[in-house]
Amino acid sequence: MTAQEVRLCGLLLREHFGEVVEKVGTHLLKCGAQNLRTIIHETGLSVDLVKKSLCVLVQHGASTFSSGRKGPGSPTEYHTSCDRILRILRYPRYIYTAKTLYGDTGELIIEELLQRGHTTMSSTVKTVADRLTQNMAEGLTMDYSEVSSTFSKLVETHFLQRCPPLPRTPATPGTPAAPVNTAPPTPESFPECYKVPSVTLIGRGKRQLASEDGEEQRSAKRAKMDPQTHGDEGIYWQVNFERFHLHFRDQTIISAVANKLDQTSSEIVRTMLRMSEVTTSPMATCTKPLSANEIFRSLPPSYNILRPILDQYLTLLVDDPMEFVGKAGESGGGMFVVNLHRALANLARATLESVVQERFGSRSARIFRLLLRKRHLEQKQVEDFAMIPAKEAKDMLYTLLSQNLVQLQEIPKTPDYAPSRTFYLYTVNQLPTARMLLQSCYKTVANLVERRLFETKESKRLLEKSQRIEAILASLQVSGAEPEQLTEVEEMITAPEKQQLDTLRLHINKLDSAENQVDETIFLLESYINSTNASS
Amino acid sequence: MAEVKVKKETNLSDPVEVENRIKELCQQFPQGITDQVIQNDMPHLEPQQRAMAINKLLSLGQLDLLRNSAGLLYRLKDSQSTSKMKGSDNQEKLVYQIIEDAGNKGIWSRDIRFKSNLPLTEINKILKNLESKKLIKAVKSVAASKKKVYMLYNLQPDRSVTGGAWYSDQDFESEFVEVLNQQCFKFLQSKAEAARDNKQSPMVQRNSSFATSHEVWKYICELGISKVDLSMDDIETILNTLIYDGKVEMTVIAAKEGTVGSVDGQMKLYRGVNTIIQPTGLVKTPCGLCPVFDDCHEGGEISPSNCIYMSEWLDF
């Protein structure tokens, strides 16, 4: 929980949930697990506000509660972790993935679940059907069963999972409690995690008609109390982020293979990864061994390549220096595994090299790659291998050293570390450098978010004016006014103001897309660091 | 009996005889004789006389004193070098000998001082003297540009001193290296593309995209962009820099002895490759390249709200 992470989490919470939740959330992040009374006292907010904020945080899975440190009888403590909050950055990517895999229905289901945190299947299905019906042509409505089937598909492929049921606290504090499991139960530890409940959902989506506007607005304030029950009360669903992450990781590996080798090799790797989707644990360093026969059978039918050609491709993949695929045995025509950890390490290394290249130039990148390969080198050796004149090489090495991308290792010849009698070796350590870059990424995203908020604040007056004018226009159109009135209203915004609005929109879009791009780097570096920690 | 006595007497009494005898022994053993050999030959010679004779020969410059692991060796000096040193005194001879020993790597003046134990002024005088007699020359070293190493006049300086093919007059030729870099990369890239367009089986495709270091060397020689003769090792250092640029990869295969370009039964193959990822997301933002990234924080002089790099980037 570094300072940069806390700052970024605060900004994300403020944008999505408001300032009160931000205050409570950042306080919990900085101070660890605390109980309700302490939070109220230290943040200075009222009891209701704190309670509501905690509800929001728990609903979205950002916060967990458990019984206190002093034992089962003490007040419950609330604990927040920044991982979950940082996932908010990645929501657009999740929604886009769902769209590519399962179409608009899938996209809307994931969007609903991300917005609400935990919901039941029935309420999700209904809301999604309504929204889809909204966008469909006149007279068509979306059937609930279609949405349910997409929901089930999402559950089958583990993109959605049930929320773990809450542990029951003992009624009387005096009774000796059963040994409390201090670690929060993971959703996967429950056997029915991915079981779709049998829900009776018959009906179609309702289109929101214009005439019902007034009534809808009144009842929208109150939570829709649906009198119907559908047989799945108490079963709440949440998005399984880990599964999405595995999917992203697979995508990155496949595109890397396509860049390095060719399209067919990447298809082969895609098949192998698809076959190992459910059999490989998330933290495994490589997939389970697959025989060449199985791979041949599972290739998509559009790629009809001959068996000997497939063998050749597999041999080429194994021989490649990047070591994406390894050979694990000879039975069944050759057993092959995808080296996940090594692929992630190579991708992280390519990321580091690309950062050095863009920041300092291609010759510094040459020195950086040289040090990554050869581990420890003296300054003279660096100059010789990289074929860069001595003065320039010295300059570049010192710049890299000052940015902490390169480290210096001293090897003394004498017990007193006399500089003239010590070897100074330059070296690059991949893991600490990756961590450092990750923190820079967090800071960058926080900067981008702040800039976006600043730009919006600057033009607040202008934005409000344009919103008012749009509202007036909409109401005029509904009540059927003449074109002259419309144009008159439109002209209330002058041309330079319109231009300003356009540039503002452009800026905000640019900042948004930049946030997504930096998030891709964050994902790569985080996966690499987690994978290294898990395998060591 | 009388003859033997006479012989012994002549041996014992005449130092010139002793010296001549030693010289004959040296001629018999051109690689040098030890003290033991002289003793064996003239067992009745006292050590003092032996030592006197040897010293006389050394000072006359007719014997060379060497040391090996077993002890001291005496070797006959060839007459050519003895004539060269006529007119020079002992100190100069000593300095000359030290420089000669350094071979074609040359020796620094301070090292000469250490080895000969002569004071600096003497050394400088002697060096100037020898240079004017055209017996030694000074060569500037490429490693430390102020250092001058001395070596015999007719010797070629070693590669480590002049830097080899990449240095011309002590300057590292970076443009030359760059040009070679580009040419090698273009050659390998076109080979890889030709292989890819070939559309044969993948194994054949990959193997034909490889080029041995020998092929690259031949190509560069035929291009004729280099005025200096480049060896295969030089080309390999250039190809290594391409590997460190991430544009080329190398494999080593076992090759039969005698095939062109194989060294010790191995051949190095090089192939142009693409990078595995696009430039990463972080560097697409101004913060990724910002020189004052560490000074930037909200509410400070440099902050995201008033960042000029961001403003420029947004208006781009």
Side-chain angles (χ1 to χ4, degrees), chain B residues 55-107:
Chain B
N55 274 337
K56 186 94 182 295
L57 284 172
L58 278 173
S59 62
L60 278 178
Q62 287 171 345
L63 262 195
D64 245 337
L65 181 65
L66 304 161
R67 178 194 278 273
N68 72 352
S69 51
L72 294 170
L73 271 179
Y74 308 105
R75 197 168 60 184
L76 198 64
K77 218 189 258 202
D78 47 321
S79 52
Q80 262 180 2
S81 44
T82 41
S83 61
K84 251 193 264 177
M85 297 305 280
K86 272 213 189 77
S88 335
D89 57 359
N90 275 342
Q91 285 178 336
E92 285 192 4
K93 276 192 225 155
L94 184 60
V95 169
Y96 184 78
Q97 190 154 14
I98 295 174
I99 294 180
E100 192 179 5
D101 286 337
N104 63 353
K105 283 215 193 335
I107 188 166

Side-chain angles (χ1 to χ4, degrees), chain A residues 150-166:
Chain A
T150 319
F151 195 97
S152 322
K153 267 191 263 177
L154 279 167
V155 174
E156 267 167 29
T157 43
H158 293 202
F159 281 109
L160 299 176
Q161 62 186 184
R162 286 200 205 186
C163 307
L166 305 161

Side-chain angles (χ1 to χ4, degrees), chain A residues 206-219:
Chain A
K206 285 190 262 310
R207 184 184 294 275
Q208 200 174 27
L209 300 170
S211 55
E212 294 182 27
D213 244 338
E215 201 188 288
E216 286 292 333
Q217 275 176 5
R218 254 190 295 125
S219 56

Side-chain angles (χ1 to χ4, degrees), chain A residues 241-261:
Chain A
F241 294 116
E242 281 308 313
R243 178 70 185 86
F244 274 105
H245 293 167
L246 295 181
H247 182 83
F248 295 155
R249 179 197 68 191
D250 295 345
Q251 293 289 91
T252 331
I253 295 180
I254 292 167
S255 70
V257 174
N259 280 340
K260 181 93 196 298
L261 297 169

